[in-house]
Amino acid sequence: MAKKTFKKTYDYECTITGEKYTVTQKAKNPDDLISVQAWYELNEDKDDRPEVEKIKLGLS
């Protein structure tokens, strides 16, 4: 029987949107974390997602 490896996970919450997410690495500054969605909201000029993806999300 194979031994199952255990990965430690950390739960964080976006400081802007309140979205909760889980990562496998511990954050140095958890109070500064934001979700990907919040980052794109703050940096609209750097939004490089394809138009198809923006339509799926209801942004266009």
Side-chain angles (χ1 to χ4, degrees):
M1 184 171 199
K3 193 178 216 182
K4 189 172 185 176
T5 58
F6 176 75
K7 264 197 175 177
K8 175 109 174 118
T9 59
Y10 302 91
D11 295 321
Y12 295 107
E13 185 174 332
C14 176
T15 55
I16 296 173
T17 62
E19 180 183 352
K20 294 182 181 181
Y21 51 93
T22 303
V23 295
T24 57
Q25 291 184 349
K26 188 172 184 178
K28 292 180 182 176
N29 299 324
D31 294 335
D32 296 338
L33 293 178
I34 61 172
S35 66
V36 173
Q37 178 183 356
W39 187 87
Y40 278 127
E41 288 177 12
L42 292 173
N43 300 292
E44 291 180 11
D45 57 326
K46 296 180 183 179
D47 191 349
D48 58 352
R49 296 177 285 184
E51 286 300 317
V52 174
E53 189 65 30
K54 291 179 185 179
I55 291 170
K56 284 182 187 176
L57 295 172
L59 301 174
S60 293

